[in-house]
Amino acid sequence: METPQLLLVGLVMLLGLLGVVTPGVPGPLIVWAGVLWWSMTARTALAWGVLA
């Protein structure tokens, strides 16, 4: 995974964490989507374990 893509995944996860305290934003779903994106790109046993 390249650095720009890793930074985008981190920003998505940060947005999800902010969504936990902001009403109307599905925070956990956004964080899960970020982890899914990371695990689909990294394709390692660690990535799939974190997703699970």
Side-chain angles (χ1 to χ4, degrees), residues 3-47:
T3 303
Q5 189 174 14
L6 191 58
L7 288 173
L8 284 174
V9 170
L11 287 174
V12 167
M13 293 177 73
L14 181 63
L15 176 67
L17 289 175
L18 292 175
V20 171
V21 295
T22 305
V25 179
L29 183 61
I30 294 173
V31 171
W32 183 83
V35 173
L36 176 66
W37 180 12
W38 171 67
S39 66
M40 298 272 301
T41 307
R43 296 185 185 244
T44 63
L46 174 66

